[in-house]
Amino acid sequence: MSSEILSTLGQSQEETEFYTPMPAGYRKGHHKYVIVVGTVMSGLGKGIFSSSLAKLLQDKGMRVTPIKMEGYYNIDSGTLNPYRHGEVFVLDDGMETDMDLGTYERLLDQELSASNFCTNGQIFSIVLKKEREGSYLGRDVQTIPHVTGEVKLKLRELAIKADADVIFVEVGGTVGDYENAVYLEACRQLAYEEGEASVVFVALTYVLEPGTLGEQKSKAAQLGIKRLMEMGIMPSIIACRATNPVNEKVRQKISMYANVPMRRVVSMHDVESIYLVPEALREAGIDREVLTLLDLHDRVDQRQEDQARTKWRWFVDRIGRAQKHVTIGVTGKYTALRDAYASIIKAVEHCGVHLGCDVQLKWIDTTTIDESNVARRLADCHGIIVPGGFGVRGTEGKIECIRHARESRVPYLGLCLGFQMAVIEYARNVCGMTGANSTEFDPQCATPVIDILPEQKKIEGLGGNMRLGGKDVEVKPGTMAARLFSNASRIRLRFRHRYEVDPQFIESLERHGLVFSGKHPTQPIMQIVELPQDVHPFFMGTQAHPELTSRPLRPQPMFMGFVQASIDFAHQHHQPQTQVV
Ligand code: GLN
């Protein structure tokens, strides 16, 4: 790498203050960048804004690709607690990322990879590795130009890999955070190097409306933007997040203090659904402003845009128009924080829109569920999901929920841990293996139907010992899984687990009626389980995380089958009974 770098610079490192490695084939001026930063506070929905804007350009026929830049020093999000950071989103290549990558995949209907996710940890490990390899020979390795140089390289490599017209760079956190300062400096340099009409900065800010005053105040927004300008970054577009539409006066103040014309200071007030954001940005004219700022008008394909908008409008027009209602119980350890289950919420929402059904999720803490109260606690549920999870807490309650679903013919969908718990429940209560359990919860259990994957046993340490990413699944013909996947013999699902069904119990489980309808194509790894439909209307579990691959216009088939079965269940059982908690 070092010799390539030096040759692109055409001079030795000692002679220059620049460190700007350019990947082979990079076309300056062809790849454009939209850099989205947040001021005032985090949690403004930078990912939603950025993906919505990216979608508008994608709809116009351009190739877009996003990247999320995280300030933390973890290499990936794999060891982060979902309670603090939201769910860990797994990409097809096995990269464990921030949940925002899920927003991008859903809105852009695109498969992303490790190149779309960057952490300070990744950058620093590259810097240290290159230092040892002698790539920076003769130089003391500095934040500027070396660390910033690696950040720019990562962005340009992505531009080439994705063959992107526009790269959407979302800088995590808020302007002023120490941990994101290197990213901002790298982006400033990028704008300087790429030249005119190549990089545009969008500042997402927040307009406060204190209840005691009853009016919107712009000062915090102004100060945040000022901070950005102190770093040498001039935003070209300012999106003002707020509860209510941002008034003209406040926009004028922000416009004047930030040197940004009024037409590029837009109100991004709360909307009913995130899927309305693309159209809201379009109506505010932001897409056209970006085209002008980046000189992209001649790359627009009008016909493609019309087609894309028609499809999208079909989806958006159905939001909030549902005629049917169902309640689905979700047993979740992190019941206090919905972000931990973001993809499940989205997958169910997609199905609800397609099936014309308003789906209410009821979060169930299983630590207090037992045989005596399970029927009462789940009385108003037309379907039950046991999602993924780690650790023993609440597992016995989950098994009770699954038993209730199986015996009372309530539609059931088990996701990863929910698949494993369904196998344990069946082993215990149908196959008579009373000591059945997972070695994750009871290493000494009499019948370890769920055990650690043989190939994972060899791997030491916490980070990186899971079976991760997209894997092929062979679907058994004639099963419900086959029907849901339109009789495809092979499908692809995403995984994140350490444990699996121990193959020695498969024969016995199947003899007692359990159907393993999805398996690994060559190894004895069970990936989908179900009960025949004459036994139960919908009882399915998967070792995978199908929620990760549901998209608004392409809802995930297992979720579709499950939500449809829940609608049928509600129809047969009329109104939900009154909620008893
Ligand atoms: N704890 C289980 C395992 O490691 C399930 C993991 C999950 O639900 N993602 O296999």
Side-chain angles (χ1 to χ4, degrees), residues 387-391 415-418 420 440-441 450 466 496-500 543 545:
F390 295 83
L415 308 170
C416 203
L417 181 71
Q420 297 173 355
E440 180 180 5
F441 314 131
I450 307 293
M466 280 199 269
R496 181 173 188 253
H497 65 122
R498 236 176 239 125
Y499 294 80
E500 65 172 18
Q543 186 62 82
H545 286 281

Short mmCIF file of all heavy atoms in Angstrom, two decimals, residues 387-391 415-418 420 440-441 450 466 496-500 543 545, ligand 1:
data_model
loop_
_atom_site.label_atom_id
_atom_site.label_comp_id
_atom_site.label_asym_id
_atom_site.label_seq_id
_atom_site.Cartn_x
_atom_site.Cartn_y
_atom_site.Cartn_z
N PRO A 387 -38.23 -12.99 20.42
CA PRO A 387 -37.09 -12.51 19.63
C PRO A 387 -35.75 -13.04 20.12
O PRO A 387 -35.70 -13.79 21.09
CB PRO A 387 -37.17 -10.98 19.82
CG PRO A 387 -37.81 -10.80 21.15
CD PRO A 387 -38.67 -12.01 21.41
N GLY A 388 -34.69 -12.59 19.46
CA GLY A 388 -33.35 -13.01 19.83
C GLY A 388 -32.95 -12.49 21.19
O GLY A 388 -33.55 -11.55 21.72
N GLY A 389 -31.97 -13.11 21.76
CA GLY A 389 -31.50 -12.67 23.06
C GLY A 389 -30.37 -13.53 23.57
O GLY A 389 -30.05 -14.57 22.99
N PHE A 390 -29.78 -13.08 24.64
CA PHE A 390 -28.65 -13.79 25.24
C PHE A 390 -28.88 -13.88 26.74
O PHE A 390 -29.43 -12.97 27.34
CB PHE A 390 -27.34 -13.04 24.97
CG PHE A 390 -27.01 -13.00 23.50
CD1 PHE A 390 -27.59 -12.04 22.67
CD2 PHE A 390 -26.15 -13.93 22.95
CE1 PHE A 390 -27.29 -12.01 21.32
CE2 PHE A 390 -25.86 -13.91 21.59
CZ PHE A 390 -26.43 -12.95 20.77
N GLY A 391 -28.45 -14.98 27.33
CA GLY A 391 -28.53 -15.11 28.78
C GLY A 391 -29.83 -15.75 29.25
O GLY A 391 -30.83 -15.77 28.55
N LEU A 415 -37.52 -16.10 16.78
CA LEU A 415 -36.38 -15.53 16.07
C LEU A 415 -35.09 -15.84 16.82
O LEU A 415 -34.87 -15.33 17.91
CB LEU A 415 -36.54 -14.01 15.93
CG LEU A 415 -37.88 -13.55 15.35
CD1 LEU A 415 -38.03 -12.03 15.50
CD2 LEU A 415 -38.02 -13.95 13.90
N CYS A 416 -34.27 -16.68 16.25
CA CYS A 416 -32.98 -17.03 16.82
C CYS A 416 -33.14 -17.68 18.20
O CYS A 416 -33.41 -18.86 18.28
CB CYS A 416 -32.06 -15.82 16.85
SG CYS A 416 -30.32 -16.30 16.89
N LEU A 417 -33.05 -16.91 19.27
CA LEU A 417 -33.29 -17.49 20.59
C LEU A 417 -34.70 -18.10 20.64
O LEU A 417 -34.92 -19.16 21.23
CB LEU A 417 -33.15 -16.43 21.68
CG LEU A 417 -33.36 -16.93 23.10
CD1 LEU A 417 -32.22 -17.81 23.56
CD2 LEU A 417 -33.52 -15.76 24.07
N GLY A 418 -35.65 -17.44 20.00
CA GLY A 418 -37.03 -17.93 19.96
C GLY A 418 -37.16 -19.25 19.23
O GLY A 418 -38.08 -20.03 19.49
N GLN A 420 -34.59 -21.50 19.25
CA GLN A 420 -33.98 -22.45 20.19
C GLN A 420 -34.95 -22.80 21.32
O GLN A 420 -35.08 -23.96 21.70
CB GLN A 420 -32.69 -21.85 20.76
CG GLN A 420 -31.63 -21.59 19.71
CD GLN A 420 -30.41 -20.83 20.24
OE1 GLN A 420 -30.38 -20.41 21.40
NE2 GLN A 420 -29.42 -20.64 19.38
N GLU A 440 -26.28 -22.86 27.06
CA GLU A 440 -26.07 -21.43 27.36
C GLU A 440 -26.68 -21.10 28.72
O GLU A 440 -26.17 -20.27 29.46
CB GLU A 440 -26.72 -20.56 26.27
CG GLU A 440 -26.55 -19.06 26.52
CD GLU A 440 -27.18 -18.17 25.46
OE1 GLU A 440 -27.86 -18.69 24.54
OE2 GLU A 440 -27.03 -16.94 25.57
N PHE A 441 -27.81 -21.76 29.04
CA PHE A 441 -28.52 -21.43 30.29
C PHE A 441 -28.18 -22.40 31.41
O PHE A 441 -28.23 -22.05 32.58
CB PHE A 441 -30.03 -21.44 30.06
CG PHE A 441 -30.41 -20.71 28.80
CD1 PHE A 441 -31.28 -21.28 27.87
CD2 PHE A 441 -29.88 -19.45 28.54
CE1 PHE A 441 -31.59 -20.61 26.70
CE2 PHE A 441 -30.20 -18.79 27.37
CZ PHE A 441 -31.06 -19.37 26.45
N ILE A 450 -29.89 -27.84 22.75
CA ILE A 450 -29.22 -26.69 22.14
C ILE A 450 -27.83 -26.61 22.76
O ILE A 450 -27.69 -26.51 23.98
CB ILE A 450 -29.99 -25.37 22.39
CG1 ILE A 450 -31.46 -25.47 21.97
CG2 ILE A 450 -29.29 -24.19 21.71
CD1 ILE A 450 -31.72 -25.62 20.48
N MET A 466 -19.03 -15.56 16.98
CA MET A 466 -20.38 -15.98 16.61
C MET A 466 -20.45 -16.35 15.14
O MET A 466 -19.61 -15.94 14.34
CB MET A 466 -21.37 -14.87 16.92
CG MET A 466 -21.73 -14.86 18.39
SD MET A 466 -23.24 -13.98 18.70
CE MET A 466 -22.59 -12.38 18.97
N ARG A 496 -26.81 -14.59 13.59
CA ARG A 496 -25.93 -14.08 14.64
C ARG A 496 -26.16 -14.94 15.88
O ARG A 496 -27.00 -14.64 16.71
CB ARG A 496 -26.26 -12.62 14.94
CG ARG A 496 -25.37 -12.01 16.02
CD ARG A 496 -25.62 -10.51 16.15
NE ARG A 496 -24.66 -9.91 17.03
CZ ARG A 496 -24.93 -9.48 18.27
NH1 ARG A 496 -26.15 -9.59 18.76
NH2 ARG A 496 -23.99 -8.92 19.00
N HIS A 497 -25.43 -16.04 15.94
CA HIS A 497 -25.64 -16.93 17.10
C HIS A 497 -24.40 -17.75 17.40
O HIS A 497 -23.49 -17.88 16.58
CB HIS A 497 -26.84 -17.85 16.86
CG HIS A 497 -26.66 -18.82 15.72
ND1 HIS A 497 -26.75 -20.17 15.88
CD2 HIS A 497 -26.39 -18.62 14.41
CE1 HIS A 497 -26.55 -20.77 14.71
NE2 HIS A 497 -26.33 -19.85 13.81
N ARG A 498 -24.42 -18.31 18.60
CA ARG A 498 -23.31 -19.14 19.05
C ARG A 498 -23.77 -20.59 19.23
O ARG A 498 -23.00 -21.51 19.14
CB ARG A 498 -22.86 -18.61 20.42
CG ARG A 498 -21.42 -18.24 20.48
CD ARG A 498 -21.08 -17.63 21.83
NE ARG A 498 -20.57 -16.29 21.64
CZ ARG A 498 -21.05 -15.19 22.18
NH1 ARG A 498 -22.07 -15.26 23.02
NH2 ARG A 498 -20.52 -14.04 21.92
N TYR A 499 -25.05 -20.75 19.52
CA TYR A 499 -25.59 -22.08 19.84
C TYR A 499 -26.46 -22.58 18.69
O TYR A 499 -26.92 -21.79 17.86
CB TYR A 499 -26.40 -22.02 21.13
CG TYR A 499 -25.55 -21.69 22.33
CD1 TYR A 499 -25.17 -20.37 22.60
CD2 TYR A 499 -25.08 -22.69 23.17
CE1 TYR A 499 -24.36 -20.06 23.68
CE2 TYR A 499 -24.26 -22.39 24.25
CZ TYR A 499 -23.91 -21.07 24.51
OH TYR A 499 -23.10 -20.77 25.57
N GLU A 500 -26.71 -23.89 18.67
CA GLU A 500 -27.56 -24.48 17.62
C GLU A 500 -28.17 -25.78 18.14
O GLU A 500 -27.82 -26.24 19.22
CB GLU A 500 -26.74 -24.75 16.38
CG GLU A 500 -25.67 -25.81 16.61
CD GLU A 500 -24.95 -26.25 15.35
OE1 GLU A 500 -25.02 -25.53 14.35
OE2 GLU A 500 -24.35 -27.32 15.37
N GLN A 543 -33.45 -20.01 13.20
CA GLN A 543 -32.19 -19.70 13.84
C GLN A 543 -31.66 -18.35 13.35
O GLN A 543 -30.78 -17.74 13.94
CB GLN A 543 -31.19 -20.83 13.56
CG GLN A 543 -29.88 -20.75 14.26
CD GLN A 543 -29.99 -20.80 15.77
OE1 GLN A 543 -30.10 -21.86 16.36
NE2 GLN A 543 -29.98 -19.64 16.41
N HIS A 545 -32.17 -14.25 11.68
CA HIS A 545 -32.85 -13.00 12.05
C HIS A 545 -33.54 -12.45 10.80
O HIS A 545 -33.02 -11.51 10.17
CB HIS A 545 -31.85 -11.98 12.60
CG HIS A 545 -31.36 -12.31 13.97
ND1 HIS A 545 -32.11 -12.04 15.09
CD2 HIS A 545 -30.23 -12.91 14.40
CE1 HIS A 545 -31.44 -12.44 16.16
NE2 HIS A 545 -30.31 -12.98 15.76
N1 GLN B 1 -28.08 -16.75 22.66
C1 GLN B 1 -28.34 -17.52 21.50
C2 GLN B 1 -27.07 -17.94 20.77
O1 GLN B 1 -26.03 -17.38 21.00
C3 GLN B 1 -29.28 -16.81 20.57
C4 GLN B 1 -28.64 -15.63 19.92
C5 GLN B 1 -29.63 -14.67 19.34
O2 GLN B 1 -30.82 -14.73 19.62
N2 GLN B 1 -29.18 -13.77 18.53
O3 GLN B 1 -27.10 -18.82 19.95
#
